Amino acid sequence: MSLRVLVGCKRVIDYAVKIRVRPDKMGVVTDGVKHSMNPFDEIAIEEAVRLKEKKIAKEVIAVSCGPTQAQETIRTALAMGADRGIHVEIPAKEMEKLEPLHVSKILAKLAEKEGAELLIVGKQAIDDDSNATAQMTAALLEWPQATFASKIEKTDGTLLVVREVDGGLETIKVKLPAVVSADLRLNEPRYATLPNIMKAKKKKIVKMKPADLGVDTTAHFEVVEVCDPPSREAGIKVEDVDALVSKLKEAGRI
Amino acid sequence: MWATPRMKYLSRSFGTLCRVNVQCRSLVTTTNSAQVIEQHQFYNEEQQKLQNAIKKLIDKEINPHVDEWETAGMWPAHKIMKLFGQAGFLGINKPVEYGGLDLDYKYQAAFNEALGGICAPGVGMGIGVQTDLTTPALARFGSEYLKREFLAPSISGDVVSCLGVSEPDAGSDVAGLQTSARHHGEDLIINGQKMWITNSWQADWICLLLNTSAGPPHLNKSLVCVPMKTPGIHLTKMIDKLGMRSSDTGQIFFDEVRVPAKNIIGEEGKGFTYQMLQFQGERMAMALSGLEPMKMCIQETLDYIRERKAFGQPLLNNQYLHFRLAELETELECLRSIIYRAVELYVHGEDITRLASMCKLKVGRLTREVADSCLQMWGGMGFTNEILVSRLCRDLRLFSIGGGADEVMLTIICKFMGTLPVPPKKNKKFIT
């Protein structure tokens, strides 16, 4: 049984960049700033490519929602071994208002359209830390979900997934088709070889709009303000618990 | 104690689950957007992807081990060469028939610049020898047989090569080298010695420049591919160097070494010309490889003096220091510009001898200035082996010497300026 795998990847500000809040305090500076693929999505792509190498998957499709530059992210996936790409075009201005729910609806529609049997995404994006897309997509598709995966094994028509949860490691069995979200220790993404980087240019990327999938991207949230976290103030040492309690009372905290 | 620079970027990344490789002492710099725009605009998407891939390889397989290789005085050349070969990084601008990718020089430049991310320049140098010093002439002028025997395995990373030009008595004076061969039937019999040879202790073959006939010194030399296991080749000592300590540098003796004459690259007698051509690529490679180390130097020093306090405030608050760093940053940007300009011209097939010589001269001088000024700002810590800056001080000092000393670069530039003194003509009419 060879699976068709759909992998979602997001173009985010590179993890090494120092983020600056925009002067209008409605977002962060993105112009001219280095972007790359969300690290957890790299792990997702790597896992899908490994499944293909193990002959568990027959095709890996990389999908990204975003402006034109999202194609660079898709090509990174192609250079790592994905077979083809889908670019769901979202104009740059609308990117800020794009929510996990919109992406989930898009991915759900694509999974159905492409006949995918496995959808893998990174557990969260490092820009919004939502950790919601995998879960909502599974709900929309009515597929089982295995989130925070640190190991995936295939056994007959099911997947055995080890999940990293607060209490430790949890192993679950999910029937296919399923949604999986990749956690940090699932694998270490490969570096693309130069021949594959050049070959990626020739692989197909299909473009479409959310409307083509019947998805409405009207925002449900409105950003009120974006600001830096308050700088950490110096602490003080107290003698004992009584002093602690009285200090907290003084500061009006209790 | 002062916060190690490597901790700086963890605060921005994905919470406690950050597993990004903590490299030796170089951090993945937290760049500001202005720096990022410039470098991005010069290289195209594929070239940047190439650089990202190289960086990943370096972060995973090289930087975690450089300290131990520096101490041991040896980098694992075959292992690293194979990794690079498998990734397709060793034949970027070499012919497809021999495993290369036949991409234009800008891809090669992107590769050279990315090698600068290795925290021990000695390792980068060892790799660069294979891609930019021993194989260009072979790829361009070598016979089918030579390309199959020597070029193909060098591109795949299955063999390690070294370049044999310098001798104990002839460094800058390349034309004055003494290693020679006499013809004997279909063979050459080689006698002589080479010195300062990078990779010599681990190499499988050497690209040797030697005299193959009598005649004018610019016309009597040939480049020959010689397997290092050929009887008569002896390595005597591992040279104990100030810097580039992870790179194996040797002195090689050739004692009646017999090699087929068909191992001559291209035409016999054209070796000097071929080597002069190879020098241009070597100089550009060195210049490009100096950019990242200088950038790391400045960034790490900046981060350190932001944390380090003296007299009640961060060192960085002292105008002398932040102004000095701004000066160094400006000089680095200027050097980047001339290097990129030379790269563009080279891509278009122009002769860049003049610019390449300027790039080489400047990188040698600027790396010394940057490393030395930065080291001063580290105070006592700068004087230890625990700091990247001190290693760069030692390693980058080579840039003014190897690959064509500053003095040679200056001579070349003077030639273009027409300022070299003309030797007095022997006046035969001086008889009354």
Side-chain angles (χ1 to χ4, degrees):
Chain A
M1 180 199 186
S2 232
L3 306 171
R4 176 171 286 125
V5 185
L6 190 66
V7 188
C9 47
K10 186 181 181 186
R11 178 175 177 264
V12 297
I13 294 180
D14 188 85
Y15 73 86
V17 169
K18 202 163 178 183
I19 304 293
R20 285 182 305 146
V21 175
R22 282 206 318 252
D24 66 2
K25 290 202 154 193
M26 291 299 284
V28 297
V29 176
T30 53
D31 278 341
V33 171
K34 184 174 182 196
H35 285 65
S36 26
M37 191 192 294
N38 182 38
F40 293 110
D41 297 337
E42 264 187 31
I43 296 172
I45 299 275
E46 174 66 25
E47 196 61 22
V49 173
R50 287 188 191 189
L51 287 174
K52 200 172 85 156
E53 285 167 350
K54 286 188 218 163
K55 309 240 193 283
I56 295 170
K58 63 171 181 266
E59 193 186 25
V60 176
I61 309 162
V63 57
S64 190
C65 304
T68 321
Q69 295 95 319
Q71 288 182 29
E72 287 170 24
T73 307
I74 297 173
R75 274 190 289 270
T76 303
L78 296 174
M80 284 172 73
D83 298 292
R84 58 187 168 90
I86 300 173
H87 172 210
V88 180
E89 289 176 288
I90 313 269
K93 286 191 273 49
E94 286 175 33
M95 269 312 278
E96 281 172 29
K97 293 185 260 156
L98 194 70
E99 295 157 19
L101 183 57
H102 301 139
V103 177
S104 299
K105 287 181 178 171
I106 290 169
L107 290 180
K109 275 276 155 34
L110 281 172
E112 280 171 349
K113 188 166 174 281
E114 296 289 336
E117 292 139 298
L118 179 58
L119 172 68
I120 315 181
V121 293
K123 70 168 182 180
Q124 66 197 58
I126 60 170
D127 50 9
D128 60 17
D129 285 335
S130 294
N131 181 13
T133 305
Q135 292 86 336
M136 289 194 286
T137 313
L140 289 167
L141 285 165
E142 292 194 349
W143 287 7
Q145 58 184 260
T147 53
F148 316 119
S150 66
K151 190 159 185 227
I152 303 175
E153 264 169 48
K154 185 157 176 300
T155 51
D156 302 319
T158 66
L159 288 180
L160 205 64
V161 180
V162 177
R163 306 177 59 225
E164 291 203 4
V165 296
D166 286 347
L169 297 174
E170 182 193 53
T171 308
I172 60 171
K173 210 183 231 181
V174 282
K175 289 200 187 119
L176 292 164
V179 175
V180 173
S181 80
D183 207 330
L184 191 66
R185 278 162 280 273
L186 181 58
N187 60 49
E188 203 177 324
R190 63 194 63 194
Y191 40 84
T193 64
L194 186 53
N196 285 344
I197 291 171
M198 300 310 292
K199 272 186 215 152
K201 280 169 73 166
K202 300 197 185 99
K203 291 183 182 173
K204 233 170 164 260
I205 301 179
V206 166
K207 288 200 284 230
M208 60 183 72
K209 297 193 173 52
D212 299 335
L213 297 166
V215 174
D216 175 15
T217 54
T218 316
H220 303 108
F221 297 105
E222 185 196 323
V223 171
V224 172
E225 191 199 8
V226 174
C227 59
D228 282 300
S231 41
R232 206 171 155 189
E233 287 163 23
I236 47 167
K237 271 195 178 151
V238 291
E239 290 287 311
D240 51 32
V241 178
D242 290 329
L244 173 65
V245 172
S246 68
K247 281 268 184 232
L248 286 171
K249 279 200 174 132
E250 260 176 60
R253 303 282 195 219
I254 50 170
Chain B
M1 259 296 249
W2 47 274
T4 45
R6 72 185 82 172
M7 297 303 179
K8 291 284 140 223
Y9 66 94
L10 289 179
S11 56
R12 155 74 186 96
S13 48
F14 27 108
T16 53
L17 300 176
C18 178
R19 176 225 30 213
V20 175
N21 287 319
V22 176
Q23 296 120 337
C24 56
R25 286 143 237 169
S26 145
L27 50 103
V28 174
T29 55
T30 52
T31 55
N32 61 55
S33 33
Q35 273 178 306
V36 164
I37 292 173
E38 316 295 301
Q39 282 169 269
H40 266 195
Q41 286 170 345
F42 184 64
Y43 295 113
N44 71 21
E45 187 189 320
E46 282 77 41
Q47 288 153 1
Q48 286 177 51
K49 284 202 159 67
L50 167 60
Q51 291 182 316
N52 290 343
I54 294 169
K55 182 175 181 311
K56 269 208 171 116
L57 203 176
I58 292 173
D59 287 348
K60 179 164 185 246
E61 305 280 359
I62 301 185
N63 280 348
H65 306 292
V66 289
D67 289 357
E68 126 207 358
W69 299 341
E70 281 275 302
T71 311
M74 182 80 80
W75 67 297
H78 282 92
K79 175 166 179 252
I80 302 298
M81 216 54 101
K82 188 65 194 164
L83 285 171
F84 272 77
Q86 278 169 335
F89 298 156
L90 297 179
I92 295 172
N93 59 347
K94 305 293 187 303
V96 173
E97 305 96 294
Y98 303 97
L101 284 147
D102 202 15
L103 293 166
D104 72 45
Y105 177 69
K106 208 166 188 189
Y107 286 85
Q108 186 65 19
F111 162 82
N112 288 129
E113 193 176 336
L115 278 189
I118 299 177
C119 288
V123 176
M125 181 168 77
I127 301 168
V129 159
Q130 186 126 323
T131 54
D132 293 275
L133 273 61
T134 60
T135 49
L138 174 57
R140 220 171 132 185
F141 304 108
S143 66
E144 175 72 46
Y145 153 73
L146 282 182
K147 288 194 272 208
R148 268 184 290 112
E149 276 296 301
F150 297 97
L151 181 62
S154 299
I155 291 174
S156 66
D158 286 309
V159 298
V160 173
S161 59
C162 62
L163 181 72
V165 174
S166 296
E167 297 184 357
D169 292 331
S172 295
D173 184 11
V174 174
L177 62 86
Q178 294 297 303
T179 303
S180 309
R182 61 179 190 277
H183 284 265
H184 191 257
E186 307 230 315
D187 294 335
L188 293 171
I189 311 232
I190 303 170
N191 281 283
Q193 45 175 312
K194 294 291 179 187
M195 178 88 157
W196 312 116
I197 310 305
T198 302
N199 292 353
S200 48
W201 283 85
Q202 301 182 78
D204 298 290
W205 68 277
I206 178 168
C207 179
L208 192 63
L209 182 68
L210 71 166
N211 302 309
T212 45
S213 61
H218 299 97
L219 301 171
N220 74 333
K221 294 176 170 54
S222 305
L223 275 176
V224 183
C225 299
V226 183
M228 286 297 279
K229 286 217 159 72
T230 312
I233 298 182
H234 311 284
L235 274 92
T236 47
K237 59 187 218 162
M238 180 84 78
I239 303 171
D240 183 9
K241 310 180 302 293
L242 167 70
M244 304 289 198
R245 292 183 67 79
S246 44
S247 167
D248 47 311
T249 317
Q251 183 167 8
I252 315 174
F253 283 86
F254 296 84
D255 187 7
E256 295 286 297
V257 177
R258 180 181 286 266
V259 78
K262 67 178 177 172
N263 281 26
I264 295 177
I265 295 175
E267 276 178 56
E268 188 182 331
K270 280 249 172 89
F272 187 83
T273 310
Y274 296 157
Q275 186 50 49
M276 288 301 126
L277 287 172
Q278 277 193 150
F279 275 146
Q280 302 318 314
E282 178 179 347
R283 283 155 198 176
M284 286 310 299
M286 283 181 80
L288 283 154
S289 72
L291 294 173
E292 268 306 300
M294 280 193 270
K295 188 172 155 197
M296 287 196 282
C297 243
I298 294 172
Q299 186 64 51
E300 284 207 5
T301 305
L302 199 160
D303 289 334
Y304 175 64
I305 62 176
R306 199 197 293 274
E307 295 298 321
R308 177 76 180 169
K309 293 192 167 65
F311 307 108
Q313 58 170 350
L315 282 181
L316 186 60
N317 284 6
N318 290 285
Q319 192 180 76
Y320 179 68
L321 296 184
H322 55 256
F323 270 20
R324 184 76 189 111
L325 287 175
E327 284 175 348
L328 297 175
E329 180 96 334
T330 305
E331 297 268 340
L332 177 56
E333 217 44 64
C334 288
L335 176 59
R336 187 185 293 282
S337 291
I338 185 179
I339 291 174
Y340 284 178
R341 197 171 132 213
V343 168
E344 284 292 0
L345 287 167
Y346 207 32
V347 171
H348 288 99
E350 300 286 332
D351 176 3
I352 54 162
T353 307
R354 178 176 169 268
L355 278 184
S357 306
M358 290 176 166
C359 290
K360 171 72 171 52
L361 174 70
K362 192 62 188 170
V363 78
R365 298 249 167 113
L366 189 60
T367 49
R368 289 154 74 180
E369 195 185 341
V370 168
D372 187 72
S373 296
C374 286
L375 189 128
Q376 182 68 14
M377 297 185 195
W378 284 75
M381 282 310 298
F383 204 59
T384 70
N385 282 327
E386 294 174 33
I387 302 300
L388 180 64
V389 174
S390 74
R391 178 186 292 160
L392 293 182
C393 252
R394 291 183 288 107
D395 288 4
L396 302 177
R397 185 62 185 80
L398 178 62
F399 280 20
S400 279
I401 299 170
D406 284 2
E407 290 74 12
V408 175
M409 298 304 108
L410 286 165
T411 306
I412 295 171
I413 297 166
C414 285
K415 273 200 188 127
F416 279 95
M417 292 174 75
T419 52
L420 289 180
V422 178
K425 280 204 169 77
K426 290 194 171 89
N427 197 340
K428 292 204 168 96
K429 289 201 276 185
F430 202 53
I431 305 165
T432 42

